[in-house]
Amino acid sequence: MLEQNDMIGFSSLADFLGGKTEDPKRYEVEVGAVEESVCLHIPYTVVKARWEDPSVRDFVLQQATIRLRDIYGSFAEQVQLASKWGESEPFIRRIQDIMNEPVVVADMDDDVQDIAGKMVEHSTSSVVVLNDSDQLIGIVTEKDLVQRVVARGLGAGTVAREIMTPHPFIIARDAYYYEAMSSFLMNGIKHLPVMDRGRVIGMVTLSDLLRKKNRGTMELLQTVEESTIENLHELTSAFYDVLGNLIQDGIPTVHTLDVMTKLYDRFVRHAIELAVDEVGEPPVAFAWYMMGSGGRKEQFMLTDQDHFLVYEDGGDQVVVDEYFEKLGGKIVRCLEAAGYKRCKGLMMASEPQWRGTLTVWKERLRSWGVRATNENILLAHNFLAFRYVYGDEALHDQFVTGVKEQLERSRIFLYRMAELEKEKPVPTFDHPIRALFRMKRESVDLKKQALFPFHHCLQLLCARKGLVGGGSPLEQMEWLVKKKVLSEETADELRFAYEVVLRIRVECGWEAYRTGKENDSLIDFNHLRTKDKEELLLALKTIRALQNQVVGMY
């Protein structure tokens, strides 16, 4: 399936590179549009004439590598399906292949007795509620009828909008099985309306998915929910079982990280609740934040702990501070028991400098801004990757507002961050194709020389426009496109670069773990497949261009 801005017609890349196609017609295929489309035909003579332009050549090569990646990915799926259909099907199959259709619908003013009658008539456990414009506004399930109608003694005269669950979780028709399973498990629901272009076209239920194999995900969630402080050490192997299956099945890296992030987040929230049970109810509201790879939703294996605590002003300050000192320490020990190592730099809520009231955090951020030393800038980079995971949402909103205000007052700090970034340029290498044949023994640190500059540049762009705690890099790029800071074309190139670097890092990291070797982010080019070398070189060039653009703004 082709999306907007995709290219077709790579009949012979050899022609572009100076070779000769013996039988050009051998590569011809027919392409049909399923909807009205606008296509631009670029004659071969034009491409040939512009081939010496580096920007044109790199663009075509990038498109070609994307196409090759998709083709090989498709081949891999077919091989897996042919050899072990029963194992891989749940992760490859799309929601549109297993959803129930047509969906049973109701109007928001329909009587609940009529809704119950529809459920019986169509043998379904839910109906979706639409407004006059056929837009989804809610869902009514059997559970809703029991809890909100029968249990309350309601009857005739009660209508759908009074008992429905508004704004239900939804899923796209082309989403994968494992994405739906993740939504069910993480959100505690059993029904997902299936959407296509803003309209409900079907329904998928947890029961539908449980008829397929789920490779231990259900068992893992049960293990997490039932874990106690005494058996937290059993979770690591359970997490890695799921991770190993996702990697083995060739699930796209960004989706793998999304699934693992949700699993890890679920555990972190459980660990906090276990700690609260041990220490006692908090005297004031608090919020818990992840930083580092956990904050950026890039954590595929359990890494060092990176987190901090924010709590309300008020109460007996000595008592409040003592409580959160105990709570921070207890949470750190819980996470450590499950496999999270303590941070060597002590960036953890157990440390005084990584917890405090809103007032304390306001002063802490002000001091970073006043003293823009290299050390404070490095702390700020890690801090700005923060992501809210647990706690009081109103307090979280206040905290984010405070961070924005401080950044607005400390423009010099952003300037110093950009200045420091300029001192650490992303490495550049030879032209991708030529480099493949002339490559010396080169290596690159994917974290320090690729991911960190990429993250830092996005942080600077977001902070400049007032976004903090913006989630994953993909979410940040989407926001920057909406704000017209990045063009769609630039964002697409950056997404490709980011996914390439992530994929290589995850594959190498998992292989190191599987073979008992030390896991680091230093990658030797000689150990990469030819395709990975070419894609990585293009990715580094794209990130370098972003870095130049951002530091140039300051």
Side-chain angles (χ1 to χ4, degrees), residues 269-315:
R269 288 191 288 268
H270 180 63
I272 294 171
E273 289 168 354
L274 287 176
V276 169
D277 288 343
E278 287 272 323
V279 179
E281 287 298 312
V284 295
F286 73 95
W288 174 274
Y289 297 87
M290 300 292 288
M291 297 186 293
S293 60
R296 296 187 297 267
K297 300 184 179 181
E298 289 178 356
Q299 193 171 71
F300 63 101
M301 300 181 69
L302 296 174
T303 55
D304 291 355
Q305 298 186 40
D306 270 308
H307 45 70
F308 64 88
L309 261 175
V310 180
Y311 47 94
E312 280 185 324
D313 292 285

Side-chain angles (χ1 to χ4, degrees), residues 381-397:
H381 273 311
N382 200 44
F383 169 79
L384 286 175
F386 73 81
R387 183 169 59 86
Y388 168 71
V389 174
Y390 183 95
D392 187 87
E393 292 188 7
L395 178 64
H396 165 61
D397 291 340

